[in-house]
């Protein structure tokens, strides 16, 4: 079974600063995806960024980028030029592939990110 | 193009009752998964349906059951409700093969058990 650990329950930064959210995972699988999801107060789960484990290049999406360290099983999210609208819960998630298709997502407990004006 | 839709949005049930939650996947999607998110926690995988069959199941008791219809919509049923079943229930859908496809979530159904 996979586990996903987010060690920062809450973080607070000033608007326009850069912030990094940490995530580590444990798996014995070789084929998998990693995700960061944002969940604002509306509770809608929104995909921020995803990383294929077989790709060495770190994924980027505008102000969001990841630092994927496969050997260390680490997957951190960097948010540059943070904005007030980035305030939300952020979840790291793992998805394996068990031959018959992709598995369900395994989520961490989340990090509550607060962007201060 | 409608995304993933769930109903009802909120409901209150009494301990011991049964509840049915419904989900319509995004157009073109054929795989549906259900998650339970307790307050202050990350979502927990309940099960996944593909081609009208339960393909994979998380660590949930048999009180949790589901169904997928030929139009790919899905239901989550919970019997003998416990207070601990109070949570946000999220439905997610994806296209064929699931793996690597973008997974879309609905806005969830809030279940309160009293």
């Amino acid at each position: 079974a996979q586990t996903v650990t987010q060690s920062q329950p809450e973080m607070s930064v000033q608007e326009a600063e850069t912030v990094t959210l940490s995530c580590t995972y444990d798996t014995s699988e070789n084929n998998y995806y990693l995700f960061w999801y944002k969940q604002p107060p509306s509770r809608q789960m929104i995909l921020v960024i995803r990383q294929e484990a077989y790709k060495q290049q770190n994924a980027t999406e505008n102000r969001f980028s990841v630092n994927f360290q496969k050997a260390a099983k680490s997957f951190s999210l960097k948010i540059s030029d943070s904005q007030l609208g980035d305030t939300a819960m952020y979840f790291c998630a793992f998805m394996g592939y068990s031959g018959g298709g992709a598995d369900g997502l395994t989520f961490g407990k989340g990090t509550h990110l607060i962007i201060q004006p | 193009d409608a995304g993933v839709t769930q109903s009802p949005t909120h409901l209150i049930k009494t301990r011991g009752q049964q509840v049915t939650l419904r989900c319509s996947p995004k157009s073109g999607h054929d795989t549906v998964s259900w998650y339970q998110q307790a307050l202050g926690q990350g979502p927990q995988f309940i099960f996944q349906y593909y081609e009208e069959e339960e393909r994979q199941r998380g660590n949930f008791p048999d009180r949790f059951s589901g169904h997928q219809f030929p139009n790919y919509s899905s239901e989550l049923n919970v019997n003998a409700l416990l207070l601990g079943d109070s949570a946000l229930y999220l439905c997610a859908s994806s296209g064929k093969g699931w793996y690597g496809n973008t997974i879309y979530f609905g806005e969830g159904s809030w279940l309160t058990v009293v």
Side-chain angles (χ1 to χ4, degrees):
Chain A
Q2 294 79 29
T3 59
V4 176
T5 302
Q6 294 180 250
S7 58
Q8 306 151 312
E10 186 171 288
M11 296 187 71
S12 180
V13 299
Q14 296 294 124
E15 192 176 6
E17 289 183 345
T18 294
V19 60
T20 298
L21 309 183
S22 301
C23 172
T24 59
Y25 61 95
D26 190 23
T27 184
S28 58
E29 297 186 30
N30 287 320
N31 298 320
Y32 54 88
Y33 275 72
L34 295 163
F35 304 85
W36 279 98
Y37 279 90
K38 170 184 177 180
Q39 189 177 45
S42 67
R43 305 307 292 266
Q44 176 86 49
M45 198 71 78
I46 301 165
L47 177 65
V48 175
I49 199 166
R50 71 180 191 182
Q51 174 80 41
E52 296 93 328
Y54 63 87
K55 288 188 177 180
Q56 292 185 336
Q57 186 174 6
N58 289 324
T60 62
E61 287 287 344
N62 301 313
R63 297 183 296 110
F64 300 89
S65 62
V66 298
N67 182 4
F68 174 48
Q69 301 290 325
K70 190 172 183 179
K73 295 180 180 173
S74 171
F75 183 61
S76 61
L77 173 69
K78 185 172 84 170
I79 305 174
S80 304
D81 186 26
S82 57
Q83 302 174 358
L84 296 178
D86 295 334
T87 294
M89 284 293 293
Y90 285 80
F91 291 98
C92 179
F94 173 102
M95 183 174 75
Y97 180 71
S98 57
D103 299 337
L105 292 164
T106 300
F107 285 87
K109 291 189 174 183
T111 296
H112 185 205
L113 176 64
I114 302 168
I115 309 300
Q116 304 277 7
Chain B
D1 176 25
V4 180
T5 57
Q6 293 185 241
S7 64
T9 53
H10 293 82
L11 69 166
I12 300 173
K13 290 287 188 177
T14 302
R15 191 172 44 185
Q17 285 187 319
Q18 179 264 346
V19 67
T20 297
L21 307 179
R22 296 175 176 83
C23 172
S24 292
K26 182 177 172 59
S27 178
H29 285 185
D30 61 359
T31 302
V32 173
S33 290
W34 288 91
Y35 294 82
Q36 180 195 65
Q37 186 178 18
L39 208 59
Q41 301 294 318
Q44 299 287 317
F45 174 67
I46 302 174
F47 42 54
Q48 181 187 106
Y49 276 85
Y50 173 67
E51 293 187 341
E52 301 180 50
E53 291 193 357
E54 183 182 292
R55 181 188 159 270
Q56 192 183 39
R57 188 178 185 93
N59 189 25
F60 278 80
D62 292 344
R63 298 187 298 108
F64 290 77
S65 63
H67 188 78
Q68 186 178 35
F69 299 94
N71 66 353
Y72 307 120
S73 66
S74 176
E75 288 183 350
L76 164 65
N77 300 292
V78 187
N79 295 322
L81 284 166
L82 304 174
L83 296 180
D85 294 332
S86 295
L88 176 68
Y89 288 84
L90 294 166
C91 173
S93 75
S94 185
K96 285 192 185 296
W98 182 270
Y99 189 57
N101 288 311
T102 301
I103 302 163
Y104 290 86
F105 281 84
E107 294 187 2
S109 293
W110 279 103
L111 171 64
T112 301
V113 182
V114 297

